[in-house]
Amino acid sequence: MDTGPEGLADGAPSGSGGVDAPAEEAADAGPADRIDDAPDGGAPEPDREPRVLLFMRPGRDRDLVSEVLSGRFETHATTDVESLESTFDCCVFDAHEFNRVAGSIQRRRELAAPVFLPFVLLVSDDAGGPTAENTWDYVDDVIELPVRKRALRIRVGNLVERRRTSLRLAARERRLEETVEDLRLKERAMDEAPVGITIADVDGSGEGDNPVVYANDEFEALTGYGSEMFGADCRFLQGEDTDPETVATLREAIDEERPIAVDVLNYRRNGQKFWNRLTIAPIRDEEGAVTHYVGFQTDITERKIRERRLEVMKRVLSHNLRNKMNLITGYTELLRRDIDDEEALDSLAVIDRTADDLMGIAGAVQKLDHTLSDSASDGEEIGLRDRLIELRSRVQDRYPEATVSLSVPPDDPLETTIVGLATAIEEGMENAVKHNDDPNPSVEVRVERESTGWLAVEIADDGPGIPDHETRVLERGETSLTHADRLGIWLMYWVVSKAGGDFSVDTSSEGTTLRMVVPARPRDGTLSTG
C-alpha cells in the first residue's frame, strides 16, 4: 500500500471503531449547523467556504483525509448520524460508517433537492467493501484506497464544484422565480387598478408616434378600446372638440421626456365625449434612457360638470344676485321717502335688512370660494405672528367697542404654508364679535406650538354660544332640515381639513372656543406628531 507523502492507505482504526465519536466531535453538528439548503429555507449562500463532512471512524485514515482536504476546504469529522442534518458541500464515508447510515443518505438528498449534494465512499480491499446493495444509488463517487493525495483533492473538488454550481443555479432560479412573481403581482395590480393604465413604446419612427403595448381592463372599460389598438398611438382618443393647445402641451412634455398631467376632452369608441384626467410619465432604463411612457386615465366628467356648475353659481351670486339686491335696496329707499306710515316703514326696514343679509351671504360664499381655491398662495410661507397682529388691529378698528387680545409664543414668527389659515382666524374673530349681544364683547386668540411641526390656534369669546345645529352639521353633514346658517364655520373647518388638521368647537352659554390644530407645513412629509 502507498503510505508515502503523496498517498493514503486504509489503516487500523483507533478507539472503538464502529461506535459514535466522542461528544466534542458530535458537537460539530449543533443547532447552528442545521441544514439550510432544503427547499423550505432556500439554498445556502454559494460564496461561503466549501465544507466537507468526514463521516469516518477516528483513526489514521480520517486524520490523513482531513489533512489532505483541509488545505482546500473547511472539514468537520464526526460519526454522529445527526451531523447529516447539518450544512455541508460533500460527505466522505469510510466503508464501516457508510454501512451503518446508508439508509439516511436518500432522505438527506431529498432535503437538499433540487440542489446537488454529493456523497463519496472510500473503500479498500483490506477493510472490506460496503454491504449495502446498489451502492451507486447512494453515492456519487467510490474512491479505492490507496489513492494519491492530489487525486483525492481533485475528485472531491470536482464534486464540490458541481455542488457550488448547483447552488448558484438554484439561487439564480429562485431570484428569477421571485422576479417573475413580482412582475405577475404588479401586472395583476395594474390589470385590476381602478384607473385606466397604458404603456406606450418610445417614438422610434420619427413620426411622433408612441404605440401602445399594454392597456389594463379599466382602460378598456373607460374608452371601449382594448388590445386591438396595440401598436397605435393614443391619439385615437382625440376628436373634433379636443383642445389643440392641450394636445400640443402633451406632445411638448413627451418630446422633452418629462411627466405631465392635463385635463383633456377625449372620445370613447362609441363617439361619446368624456373628460379625462391624463397623467403621463417616462419610464427609464438603468442608463437613464427613456424606453416607454406610462399613462393613467381617470374619468373626471362629473367633476368638470360640477366645476362648471359652481362657476355659474358663483357668477349668479357675484353679479346677478348683487344687482338684484341693489335694485331692491334702491327702490326700498325711494319708497321710504314717500311713506309716513310707521307700520309700512317697519316692513321696508325688514326688506332692507333681508337684502343686506343676502348680500352678506353672497359675499361669504365668494370669500369661501376664493380662500379654498387660492392656488396662487399654495406653498407660500407666511409669518403668522405678524399677520395676527395685523388682524387684531383690523378687527379692533371695525369694532371699536370690542376687546381683542392676542397670545402668541415670544420670539417665534410662527411660519406656516397653510392656505387660508389667516383668513379662517379672521373669520372666527369677526364672528365672535358680530354674534355677541354684549355691548362690549371680547375675543382672545391664542397660538402655541402643539408639538414639533404643529400649531394649535384657539379663538375664545364670551358670547352666547353657537347653537347645536350649527356645529352638528360638521360631523353629520347638512340636510334640508339640518344646516348651518353661518358659512364662516364651514370656512374654518375646510381650511383645517385641507391642511390635514383637526377642528373642534367647545360651546356653551358662557362662550365658545374654536380650536384648530394644523401642521405648519402640510406638504412636509417629515412632520412629527409629538
Side-chain angles (χ1 to χ4, degrees), residues 200-275:
D201 209 343
V202 295
D203 178 16
S205 64
E207 298 178 359
D209 288 339
N210 296 101
V212 175
V213 296
Y214 168 84
N216 70 343
D217 294 342
E218 183 62 24
F219 177 81
E220 184 172 1
L222 175 64
T223 67
Y225 295 102
S227 58
E228 73 278 1
M229 302 307 296
F230 288 2
D233 190 280
C234 261
R235 283 194 295 269
F236 56 76
L237 294 177
Q238 299 171 16
E240 181 180 358
D241 292 333
T242 301
D243 182 17
E245 291 187 7
T246 302
V247 175
T249 301
L250 281 171
R251 187 73 256 170
E252 181 181 356
I254 292 174
D255 292 341
E256 295 177 359
E257 300 182 343
R258 57 180 172 83
I260 187 172
V262 296
D263 296 345
V264 58
L265 184 67
N266 281 157
Y267 290 76
R268 295 188 171 94
R269 187 168 194 161
N270 62 5
Q272 180 185 9
K273 298 177 183 179
F274 75 100
W275 277 100

Side-chain angles (χ1 to χ4, degrees), residues 367 382-399 404-406 420-430 433 443 445 447 457 459 516:
K367 183 177 182 181
I382 65 168
L384 187 60
R385 178 191 179 90
D386 292 341
R387 188 66 62 86
L388 289 177
I389 293 174
E390 295 175 7
L391 291 179
R392 179 182 59 183
S393 299
R394 189 185 308 166
V395 174
Q396 193 75 68
D397 290 342
R398 290 180 194 157
Y399 307 97
V404 182
S405 57
L406 179 63
L421 181 59
T423 303
I425 296 173
E426 181 180 16
E427 187 70 24
M429 295 167 66
E430 283 207 11
V433 175
V443 57
V445 179
V447 184
V457 181
I459 304 172
M516 295 178 277

Side-chain angles (χ1 to χ4, degrees), residues 171-411:
R172 187 180 306 167
E173 183 176 351
R174 188 173 62 254
R175 288 194 296 269
L176 179 60
E177 290 176 352
E178 292 172 353
T179 300
V180 170
E181 182 59 32
D182 184 52
L183 290 174
R184 286 174 178 168
L185 175 62
K186 292 177 180 177
E187 185 175 359
R188 288 198 301 272
M190 292 174 65
D191 286 342
E192 299 176 13
V195 298
I197 301 177
T198 54
I199 297 177
D201 209 343
V202 295
D203 178 16
S205 64
E207 298 178 359
D209 288 339
N210 296 101
V212 175
V213 296
Y214 168 84
N216 70 343
D217 294 342
E218 183 62 24
F219 177 81
E220 184 172 1
L222 175 64
T223 67
Y225 295 102
S227 58
E228 73 278 1
M229 302 307 296
F230 288 2
D233 190 280
C234 261
R235 283 194 295 269
F236 56 76
L237 294 177
Q238 299 171 16
E240 181 180 358
D241 292 333
T242 301
D243 182 17
E245 291 187 7
T246 302
V247 175
T249 301
L250 281 171
R251 187 73 256 170
E252 181 181 356
I254 292 174
D255 292 341
E256 295 177 359
E257 300 182 343
R258 57 180 172 83
I260 187 172
V262 296
D263 296 345
V264 58
L265 184 67
N266 281 157
Y267 290 76
R268 295 188 171 94
R269 187 168 194 161
N270 62 5
Q272 180 185 9
K273 298 177 183 179
F274 75 100
W275 277 100
N276 183 10
R277 178 60 177 176
L278 175 61
T279 302
I280 296 177
I283 301 175
R284 302 179 184 273
D285 60 17
E286 295 179 355
E287 284 72 35
V290 175
T291 61
H292 297 82
Y293 286 92
V294 60
F296 302 92
Q297 297 85 14
T298 305
D299 187 348
I300 59 168
T301 305
E302 287 293 331
R303 194 195 81 188
K304 282 292 184 178
I305 293 174
R306 186 168 60 252
E307 289 177 355
R308 297 287 171 84
R309 188 170 68 244
L310 289 174
E311 288 176 2
V312 172
M313 293 175 63
K314 184 167 64 173
R315 188 260 305 163
V316 169
L317 286 173
S318 63
H319 181 72
N320 299 60
L321 181 63
R322 186 179 297 276
N323 288 344
K324 300 296 183 183
M325 288 300 102
N326 286 334
L327 188 62
I328 291 173
T329 302
Y331 275 103
T332 302
E333 183 62 30
L334 290 176
L335 289 173
R336 183 180 288 110
R337 296 174 185 174
D338 299 330
I339 295 177
D340 295 328
D341 183 81
E342 286 294 329
E343 187 174 342
L345 289 174
D346 290 341
S347 298
L348 289 175
V350 171
I351 295 174
D352 211 19
R353 287 196 302 271
T354 302
D356 288 342
D357 288 344
L358 288 174
M359 291 284 284
I361 292 174
V365 170
Q366 287 182 280
K367 183 177 182 181
L368 189 151
D369 179 72
H370 176 75
T371 300
L372 296 177
S373 61
D374 186 10
S375 58
S377 60
D378 194 10
E380 179 183 344
E381 188 172 80
I382 65 168
L384 187 60
R385 178 191 179 90
D386 292 341
R387 188 66 62 86
L388 289 177
I389 293 174
E390 295 175 7
L391 291 179
R392 179 182 59 183
S393 299
R394 189 185 308 166
V395 174
Q396 193 75 68
D397 290 342
R398 290 180 194 157
Y399 307 97
E401 73 283 0
T403 301
V404 182
S405 57
L406 179 63
S407 174
V408 295
D411 304 322

Side-chain angles (χ1 to χ4, degrees), residues 35-97:
I35 57 174
D36 60 357
D37 57 357
D40 290 345
E45 176 54 50
D47 296 328
R48 61 167 171 74
E49 184 179 5
R51 184 183 188 200
V52 176
L53 186 67
L54 304 180
F55 206 91
M56 304 173 64
R57 290 175 297 172
R60 177 175 173 75
D61 281 350
R62 191 171 81 174
D63 293 342
L64 289 173
V65 171
S66 177
E67 178 184 347
V68 171
L69 298 180
S70 61
R72 183 174 176 183
F73 312 107
E74 176 189 347
T75 60
H76 292 266
T78 183
T79 58
D80 184 0
V81 69
E82 290 189 2
S83 63
L84 292 176
E85 302 293 323
S86 66
T87 300
F88 54 86
D89 297 291
C90 183
C91 181
V92 179
F93 292 101
D94 60 22
H96 180 276
E97 293 304 311

Side-chain angles (χ1 to χ4, degrees), residues 476-508:
R476 304 178 185 178
E478 294 202 354
T479 68
S480 58
L481 298 177
T482 306
H483 56 271
D485 295 326
R486 308 178 188 183
L487 290 177
I489 198 168
W490 276 118
L491 187 150
M492 290 180 278
Y493 174 80
W494 281 329
V495 166
V496 173
S497 296
K498 185 178 179 180
D502 291 316
F503 178 72
S504 61
V505 180
D506 182 11
T507 186
S508 68

